Amino acid sequence: MNEYTLAITLVVFASFFQGTFGLGMKNIAPLKWEAWWVIQSLVAMIIVPVAWALFVIPDLFEIIQQTENFTLFISAFYGLLWGIGGILFGISVEKTGISITYGIVMGLAASVGCIIPLFQIEGAFAQPSFPIIVCGVVLLLVGVTITAIAGVKRDQLKEQNSTANKSIKIGVLIAVASGILSAFLNVGFIKAGPVAKLAVEAYNTSTQNASLASWVVVLVGGFVMNGGYALFLLIKNNSWSSFKVKNSKKAYFWSVLTGVFWFSALGVYGQGAALMGDLGPVIGWPILLGLALIISNIWAYRAGEWKDAHKPFKILLTGLAVLIGAICLLGYANY
């Protein structure tokens, strides 16, 4: 297997985790949202990233200490911006369901998270693959739009009262904000590139594994926002007793598993993107999220979210077909 094939394989593998972790958000009860979220965030953004990075990079903390302070700050800051989007994502799922939220968030996060890094590359417009990438991103947005329309039409069939419709509209607005902010996770990963570069050049770490050091830095900012917000709610609502509620083992299990799956997606994606070279985050990011959207809808179908919604489901299939075409085009752009 050549390096590019391995890179694409890793990104595809990562998309399974990315498209699956959201299932855990349906298993929050009987815990309070803030209790479940603080556990999930701690596992996803601190425990798993640090443990995995230390396993392959024993000198992780020394590398971080030697990195320029501004690099650490700006990377963590983008992680913090993403953290706001992550909180909004969880709120939107509760209001609109997995399909609509994933459609809007993944589409905006994929396109914005691809375009910003592309324009930061010197001579981006002169890149031979530039027109192909732009076409791929536009096609991706078309596919996501069709998918989101399908989700809205599905919910209109299931929820006819005005209260539900109002809730859906609010959820869509929250998802839009989440999608834009979520793109900064990929930007932060790129900004943390010097951390990975130092690991490779000074500590003989493989390019693939060095990417994990970048995530550790970025996700510190992400946890400050996610964990901090959950802690704020625990104090505000005085919901500490939620940790002791009966029959909560299943909720605890899903909070941990969701955290593991969430960072598994990022960790594996980062390895694949690193192997692709400079255009890795530009090409790999929309492929990751596009495939994740397809996978999330497969899970939604299995969960019965599209039951008795035949016409919207046909629209969904059209959107997924467009997404597959966009992913193939983006994959070809870096071949």
PDB file of all heavy atoms in Angstrom, residues 17-43:
ATOM      1  N   PHE A  17     -15.838   6.620  12.746  1.00  0.00           N
ATOM      2  CA  PHE A  17     -15.942   7.115  14.115  1.00  0.00           C
ATOM      3  C   PHE A  17     -16.679   8.455  14.161  1.00  0.00           C
ATOM      4  O   PHE A  17     -17.490   8.707  15.047  1.00  0.00           O
ATOM      5  CB  PHE A  17     -14.549   7.272  14.727  1.00  0.00           C
ATOM      6  CG  PHE A  17     -13.817   5.980  14.938  1.00  0.00           C
ATOM      7  CD1 PHE A  17     -12.703   5.650  14.179  1.00  0.00           C
ATOM      8  CD2 PHE A  17     -14.249   5.074  15.895  1.00  0.00           C
ATOM      9  CE1 PHE A  17     -12.035   4.461  14.370  1.00  0.00           C
ATOM     10  CE2 PHE A  17     -13.583   3.881  16.103  1.00  0.00           C
ATOM     11  CZ  PHE A  17     -12.476   3.573  15.336  1.00  0.00           C
ATOM     12  N   GLN A  18     -16.377   9.317  13.181  1.00  0.00           N
ATOM     13  CA  GLN A  18     -16.996  10.646  13.142  1.00  0.00           C
ATOM     14  C   GLN A  18     -18.499  10.551  12.913  1.00  0.00           C
ATOM     15  O   GLN A  18     -19.275  11.328  13.473  1.00  0.00           O
ATOM     16  CB  GLN A  18     -16.351  11.497  12.041  1.00  0.00           C
ATOM     17  CG  GLN A  18     -16.856  12.922  11.964  1.00  0.00           C
ATOM     18  CD  GLN A  18     -16.410  13.768  13.148  1.00  0.00           C
ATOM     19  OE1 GLN A  18     -15.390  13.489  13.750  1.00  0.00           O
ATOM     20  NE2 GLN A  18     -17.165  14.790  13.471  1.00  0.00           N
ATOM     21  N   GLY A  19     -18.903   9.607  12.091  1.00  0.00           N
ATOM     22  CA  GLY A  19     -20.322   9.465  11.785  1.00  0.00           C
ATOM     23  C   GLY A  19     -21.092   8.663  12.813  1.00  0.00           C
ATOM     24  O   GLY A  19     -22.321   8.618  12.781  1.00  0.00           O
ATOM     25  N   THR A  20     -20.367   8.043  13.754  1.00  0.00           N
ATOM     26  CA  THR A  20     -21.003   7.158  14.725  1.00  0.00           C
ATOM     27  C   THR A  20     -21.100   7.746  16.121  1.00  0.00           C
ATOM     28  O   THR A  20     -22.033   7.446  16.861  1.00  0.00           O
ATOM     29  CB  THR A  20     -20.227   5.818  14.794  1.00  0.00           C
ATOM     30  OG1 THR A  20     -20.194   5.213  13.498  1.00  0.00           O
ATOM     31  CG2 THR A  20     -20.876   4.845  15.764  1.00  0.00           C
ATOM     32  N   PHE A  21     -20.167   8.625  16.489  1.00  0.00           N
ATOM     33  CA  PHE A  21     -20.120   9.073  17.881  1.00  0.00           C
ATOM     34  C   PHE A  21     -21.393   9.770  18.332  1.00  0.00           C
ATOM     35  O   PHE A  21     -21.768   9.737  19.507  1.00  0.00           O
ATOM     36  CB  PHE A  21     -18.906   9.989  18.114  1.00  0.00           C
ATOM     37  CG  PHE A  21     -19.117  11.429  17.775  1.00  0.00           C
ATOM     38  CD1 PHE A  21     -19.630  12.311  18.717  1.00  0.00           C
ATOM     39  CD2 PHE A  21     -18.828  11.918  16.505  1.00  0.00           C
ATOM     40  CE1 PHE A  21     -19.825  13.653  18.410  1.00  0.00           C
ATOM     41  CE2 PHE A  21     -19.017  13.248  16.193  1.00  0.00           C
ATOM     42  CZ  PHE A  21     -19.528  14.121  17.152  1.00  0.00           C
ATOM     43  N   GLY A  22     -22.101  10.412  17.395  1.00  0.00           N
ATOM     44  CA  GLY A  22     -23.313  11.147  17.745  1.00  0.00           C
ATOM     45  C   GLY A  22     -24.425  10.269  18.300  1.00  0.00           C
ATOM     46  O   GLY A  22     -25.340  10.764  18.963  1.00  0.00           O
ATOM     47  N   LEU A  23     -24.346   8.952  18.062  1.00  0.00           N
ATOM     48  CA  LEU A  23     -25.364   8.047  18.587  1.00  0.00           C
ATOM     49  C   LEU A  23     -25.413   8.093  20.104  1.00  0.00           C
ATOM     50  O   LEU A  23     -26.459   7.879  20.719  1.00  0.00           O
ATOM     51  CB  LEU A  23     -25.083   6.608  18.125  1.00  0.00           C
ATOM     52  CG  LEU A  23     -25.202   6.329  16.625  1.00  0.00           C
ATOM     53  CD1 LEU A  23     -24.792   4.894  16.323  1.00  0.00           C
ATOM     54  CD2 LEU A  23     -26.623   6.588  16.142  1.00  0.00           C
ATOM     55  N   GLY A  24     -24.265   8.363  20.707  1.00  0.00           N
ATOM     56  CA  GLY A  24     -24.219   8.396  22.164  1.00  0.00           C
ATOM     57  C   GLY A  24     -25.076   9.485  22.760  1.00  0.00           C
ATOM     58  O   GLY A  24     -25.515   9.391  23.916  1.00  0.00           O
ATOM     59  N   MET A  25     -25.339  10.535  21.989  1.00  0.00           N
ATOM     60  CA  MET A  25     -26.115  11.653  22.507  1.00  0.00           C
ATOM     61  C   MET A  25     -27.591  11.301  22.680  1.00  0.00           C
ATOM     62  O   MET A  25     -28.352  12.081  23.262  1.00  0.00           O
ATOM     63  CB  MET A  25     -25.964  12.861  21.577  1.00  0.00           C
ATOM     64  CG  MET A  25     -24.543  13.398  21.548  1.00  0.00           C
ATOM     65  SD  MET A  25     -24.366  14.792  20.419  1.00  0.00           S
ATOM     66  CE  MET A  25     -22.596  15.047  20.514  1.00  0.00           C
ATOM     67  N   LYS A  26     -27.973  10.150  22.202  1.00  0.00           N
ATOM     68  CA  LYS A  26     -29.339   9.691  22.416  1.00  0.00           C
ATOM     69  C   LYS A  26     -29.446   8.877  23.705  1.00  0.00           C
ATOM     70  O   LYS A  26     -30.519   8.376  24.042  1.00  0.00           O
ATOM     71  CB  LYS A  26     -29.806   8.841  21.235  1.00  0.00           C
ATOM     72  CG  LYS A  26     -30.032   9.637  19.961  1.00  0.00           C
ATOM     73  CD  LYS A  26     -30.727   8.787  18.908  1.00  0.00           C
ATOM     74  CE  LYS A  26     -31.174   9.645  17.739  1.00  0.00           C
ATOM     75  NZ  LYS A  26     -31.979   8.876  16.748  1.00  0.00           N
ATOM     76  N   ASN A  27     -28.319   8.732  24.389  1.00  0.00           N
ATOM     77  CA  ASN A  27     -28.294   7.926  25.607  1.00  0.00           C
ATOM     78  C   ASN A  27     -27.752   8.737  26.780  1.00  0.00           C
ATOM     79  O   ASN A  27     -26.854   8.297  27.507  1.00  0.00           O
ATOM     80  CB  ASN A  27     -27.435   6.681  25.392  1.00  0.00           C
ATOM     81  CG  ASN A  27     -28.018   5.742  24.348  1.00  0.00           C
ATOM     82  OD1 ASN A  27     -28.891   4.943  24.639  1.00  0.00           O
ATOM     83  ND2 ASN A  27     -27.548   5.853  23.121  1.00  0.00           N
ATOM     84  N   ILE A  28     -28.298   9.925  26.957  1.00  0.00           N
ATOM     85  CA  ILE A  28     -27.877  10.798  28.050  1.00  0.00           C
ATOM     86  C   ILE A  28     -28.669  10.514  29.328  1.00  0.00           C
ATOM     87  O   ILE A  28     -28.107  10.472  30.417  1.00  0.00           O
ATOM     88  CB  ILE A  28     -28.026  12.281  27.651  1.00  0.00           C
ATOM     89  CG1 ILE A  28     -27.056  12.611  26.504  1.00  0.00           C
ATOM     90  CG2 ILE A  28     -27.768  13.193  28.842  1.00  0.00           C
ATOM     91  CD1 ILE A  28     -27.168  14.030  25.993  1.00  0.00           C
ATOM     92  N   ALA A  29     -29.968  10.322  29.201  1.00  0.00           N
ATOM     93  CA  ALA A  29     -30.810  10.044  30.369  1.00  0.00           C
ATOM     94  C   ALA A  29     -30.362   8.742  31.053  1.00  0.00           C
ATOM     95  O   ALA A  29     -29.931   7.800  30.372  1.00  0.00           O
ATOM     96  CB  ALA A  29     -32.268   9.940  29.931  1.00  0.00           C
ATOM     97  N   PRO A  30     -30.452   8.691  32.376  1.00  0.00           N
ATOM     98  CA  PRO A  30     -31.082   9.640  33.308  1.00  0.00           C
ATOM     99  C   PRO A  30     -30.133  10.726  33.833  1.00  0.00           C
ATOM    100  O   PRO A  30     -30.508  11.482  34.713  1.00  0.00           O
ATOM    101  CB  PRO A  30     -31.533   8.734  34.453  1.00  0.00           C
ATOM    102  CG  PRO A  30     -30.457   7.694  34.518  1.00  0.00           C
ATOM    103  CD  PRO A  30     -30.060   7.442  33.069  1.00  0.00           C
ATOM    104  N   LEU A  31     -28.902  10.781  33.301  1.00  0.00           N
ATOM    105  CA  LEU A  31     -27.984  11.840  33.717  1.00  0.00           C
ATOM    106  C   LEU A  31     -28.455  13.189  33.188  1.00  0.00           C
ATOM    107  O   LEU A  31     -29.113  13.255  32.145  1.00  0.00           O
ATOM    108  CB  LEU A  31     -26.575  11.574  33.193  1.00  0.00           C
ATOM    109  CG  LEU A  31     -25.794  10.393  33.776  1.00  0.00           C
ATOM    110  CD1 LEU A  31     -24.448  10.264  33.079  1.00  0.00           C
ATOM    111  CD2 LEU A  31     -25.590  10.564  35.271  1.00  0.00           C
ATOM    112  N   LYS A  32     -28.123  14.245  33.881  1.00  0.00           N
ATOM    113  CA  LYS A  32     -28.342  15.581  33.343  1.00  0.00           C
ATOM    114  C   LYS A  32     -27.355  15.805  32.197  1.00  0.00           C
ATOM    115  O   LYS A  32     -26.258  15.236  32.174  1.00  0.00           O
ATOM    116  CB  LYS A  32     -28.120  16.643  34.420  1.00  0.00           C
ATOM    117  CG  LYS A  32     -29.139  16.628  35.537  1.00  0.00           C
ATOM    118  CD  LYS A  32     -30.491  17.115  35.056  1.00  0.00           C
ATOM    119  CE  LYS A  32     -31.463  17.242  36.220  1.00  0.00           C
ATOM    120  NZ  LYS A  32     -32.811  17.700  35.777  1.00  0.00           N
ATOM    121  N   TRP A  33     -27.758  16.662  31.252  1.00  0.00           N
ATOM    122  CA  TRP A  33     -26.895  16.907  30.092  1.00  0.00           C
ATOM    123  C   TRP A  33     -25.511  17.341  30.522  1.00  0.00           C
ATOM    124  O   TRP A  33     -24.506  16.861  30.005  1.00  0.00           O
ATOM    125  CB  TRP A  33     -27.518  17.991  29.204  1.00  0.00           C
ATOM    126  CG  TRP A  33     -26.722  18.286  27.965  1.00  0.00           C
ATOM    127  CD1 TRP A  33     -26.826  17.667  26.750  1.00  0.00           C
ATOM    128  CD2 TRP A  33     -25.686  19.270  27.828  1.00  0.00           C
ATOM    129  NE1 TRP A  33     -25.925  18.207  25.860  1.00  0.00           N
ATOM    130  CE2 TRP A  33     -25.203  19.199  26.501  1.00  0.00           C
ATOM    131  CE3 TRP A  33     -25.117  20.200  28.685  1.00  0.00           C
ATOM    132  CZ2 TRP A  33     -24.185  20.021  26.019  1.00  0.00           C
ATOM    133  CZ3 TRP A  33     -24.097  21.026  28.214  1.00  0.00           C
ATOM    134  CH2 TRP A  33     -23.641  20.929  26.893  1.00  0.00           C
ATOM    135  N   GLU A  34     -25.416  18.253  31.497  1.00  0.00           N
ATOM    136  CA  GLU A  34     -24.125  18.791  31.902  1.00  0.00           C
ATOM    137  C   GLU A  34     -23.236  17.748  32.560  1.00  0.00           C
ATOM    138  O   GLU A  34     -22.012  17.760  32.388  1.00  0.00           O
ATOM    139  CB  GLU A  34     -24.308  19.996  32.830  1.00  0.00           C
ATOM    140  CG  GLU A  34     -25.195  19.745  34.041  1.00  0.00           C
ATOM    141  CD  GLU A  34     -26.631  20.132  33.805  1.00  0.00           C
ATOM    142  OE1 GLU A  34     -27.098  20.015  32.647  1.00  0.00           O
ATOM    143  OE2 GLU A  34     -27.291  20.556  34.768  1.00  0.00           O
ATOM    144  N   ALA A  35     -23.834  16.806  33.285  1.00  0.00           N
ATOM    145  CA  ALA A  35     -23.058  15.745  33.926  1.00  0.00           C
ATOM    146  C   ALA A  35     -22.499  14.800  32.860  1.00  0.00           C
ATOM    147  O   ALA A  35     -21.327  14.392  32.908  1.00  0.00           O
ATOM    148  CB  ALA A  35     -23.926  14.974  34.920  1.00  0.00           C
ATOM    149  N   TRP A  36     -23.350  14.447  31.903  1.00  0.00           N
ATOM    150  CA  TRP A  36     -22.930  13.561  30.811  1.00  0.00           C
ATOM    151  C   TRP A  36     -21.855  14.233  29.963  1.00  0.00           C
ATOM    152  O   TRP A  36     -20.863  13.623  29.595  1.00  0.00           O
ATOM    153  CB  TRP A  36     -24.156  13.232  29.950  1.00  0.00           C
ATOM    154  CG  TRP A  36     -23.968  12.144  28.952  1.00  0.00           C
ATOM    155  CD1 TRP A  36     -24.252  10.816  29.119  1.00  0.00           C
ATOM    156  CD2 TRP A  36     -23.488  12.272  27.601  1.00  0.00           C
ATOM    157  NE1 TRP A  36     -23.982  10.122  27.968  1.00  0.00           N
ATOM    158  CE2 TRP A  36     -23.514  10.986  27.018  1.00  0.00           C
ATOM    159  CE3 TRP A  36     -23.047  13.347  26.836  1.00  0.00           C
ATOM    160  CZ2 TRP A  36     -23.104  10.757  25.699  1.00  0.00           C
ATOM    161  CZ3 TRP A  36     -22.631  13.124  25.528  1.00  0.00           C
ATOM    162  CH2 TRP A  36     -22.667  11.843  24.976  1.00  0.00           C
ATOM    163  N   TRP A  37     -22.042  15.526  29.705  1.00  0.00           N
ATOM    164  CA  TRP A  37     -21.150  16.257  28.802  1.00  0.00           C
ATOM    165  C   TRP A  37     -19.759  16.454  29.395  1.00  0.00           C
ATOM    166  O   TRP A  37     -18.757  16.388  28.684  1.00  0.00           O
ATOM    167  CB  TRP A  37     -21.771  17.601  28.427  1.00  0.00           C
ATOM    168  CG  TRP A  37     -21.157  18.212  27.203  1.00  0.00           C
ATOM    169  CD1 TRP A  37     -20.194  19.180  27.158  1.00  0.00           C
ATOM    170  CD2 TRP A  37     -21.432  17.876  25.838  1.00  0.00           C
ATOM    171  NE1 TRP A  37     -19.870  19.474  25.845  1.00  0.00           N
ATOM    172  CE2 TRP A  37     -20.617  18.690  25.023  1.00  0.00           C
ATOM    173  CE3 TRP A  37     -22.313  16.974  25.240  1.00  0.00           C
ATOM    174  CZ2 TRP A  37     -20.645  18.609  23.633  1.00  0.00           C
ATOM    175  CZ3 TRP A  37     -22.344  16.906  23.855  1.00  0.00           C
ATOM    176  CH2 TRP A  37     -21.515  17.717  23.072  1.00  0.00           C
ATOM    177  N   VAL A  38     -19.675  16.708  30.691  1.00  0.00           N
ATOM    178  CA  VAL A  38     -18.367  16.939  31.294  1.00  0.00           C
ATOM    179  C   VAL A  38     -17.533  15.664  31.268  1.00  0.00           C
ATOM    180  O   VAL A  38     -16.312  15.704  31.069  1.00  0.00           O
ATOM    181  CB  VAL A  38     -18.502  17.483  32.748  1.00  0.00           C
ATOM    182  CG1 VAL A  38     -18.910  16.399  33.737  1.00  0.00           C
ATOM    183  CG2 VAL A  38     -17.198  18.152  33.179  1.00  0.00           C
ATOM    184  N   ILE A  39     -18.179  14.515  31.414  1.00  0.00           N
ATOM    185  CA  ILE A  39     -17.458  13.236  31.337  1.00  0.00           C
ATOM    186  C   ILE A  39     -16.998  12.974  29.910  1.00  0.00           C
ATOM    187  O   ILE A  39     -15.839  12.623  29.658  1.00  0.00           O
ATOM    188  CB  ILE A  39     -18.367  12.084  31.816  1.00  0.00           C
ATOM    189  CG1 ILE A  39     -18.710  12.257  33.292  1.00  0.00           C
ATOM    190  CG2 ILE A  39     -17.682  10.732  31.583  1.00  0.00           C
ATOM    191  CD1 ILE A  39     -19.778  11.306  33.790  1.00  0.00           C
ATOM    192  N   GLN A  40     -17.908  13.149  28.974  1.00  0.00           N
ATOM    193  CA  GLN A  40     -17.586  12.942  27.560  1.00  0.00           C
ATOM    194  C   GLN A  40     -16.458  13.855  27.110  1.00  0.00           C
ATOM    195  O   GLN A  40     -15.529  13.429  26.413  1.00  0.00           O
ATOM    196  CB  GLN A  40     -18.850  13.162  26.720  1.00  0.00           C
ATOM    197  CG  GLN A  40     -18.697  12.863  25.241  1.00  0.00           C
ATOM    198  CD  GLN A  40     -18.205  14.073  24.447  1.00  0.00           C
ATOM    199  OE1 GLN A  40     -17.505  13.937  23.448  1.00  0.00           O
ATOM    200  NE2 GLN A  40     -18.552  15.274  24.884  1.00  0.00           N
ATOM    201  N   SER A  41     -16.507  15.115  27.516  1.00  0.00           N
ATOM    202  CA  SER A  41     -15.486  16.085  27.118  1.00  0.00           C
ATOM    203  C   SER A  41     -14.121  15.730  27.701  1.00  0.00           C
ATOM    204  O   SER A  41     -13.092  15.855  27.028  1.00  0.00           O
ATOM    205  CB  SER A  41     -15.891  17.489  27.578  1.00  0.00           C
ATOM    206  OG  SER A  41     -17.102  17.883  26.989  1.00  0.00           O
ATOM    207  N   LEU A  42     -14.106  15.318  28.968  1.00  0.00           N
ATOM    208  CA  LEU A  42     -12.847  14.957  29.620  1.00  0.00           C
ATOM    209  C   LEU A  42     -12.199  13.776  28.922  1.00  0.00           C
ATOM    210  O   LEU A  42     -10.987  13.768  28.676  1.00  0.00           O
ATOM    211  CB  LEU A  42     -13.105  14.632  31.094  1.00  0.00           C
ATOM    212  CG  LEU A  42     -11.867  14.325  31.947  1.00  0.00           C
ATOM    213  CD1 LEU A  42     -10.948  15.543  32.012  1.00  0.00           C
ATOM    214  CD2 LEU A  42     -12.289  13.889  33.354  1.00  0.00           C
ATOM    215  N   VAL A  43     -13.003  12.791  28.571  1.00  0.00           N
ATOM    216  CA  VAL A  43     -12.478  11.605  27.878  1.00  0.00           C
ATOM    217  C   VAL A  43     -12.002  11.967  26.477  1.00  0.00           C
ATOM    218  O   VAL A  43     -10.897  11.598  26.061  1.00  0.00           O
ATOM    219  CB  VAL A  43     -13.561  10.497  27.801  1.00  0.00           C
ATOM    220  CG1 VAL A  43     -13.099   9.351  26.898  1.00  0.00           C
ATOM    221  CG2 VAL A  43     -13.878   9.972  29.190  1.00  0.00           C
TER     222      VAL A  43
END
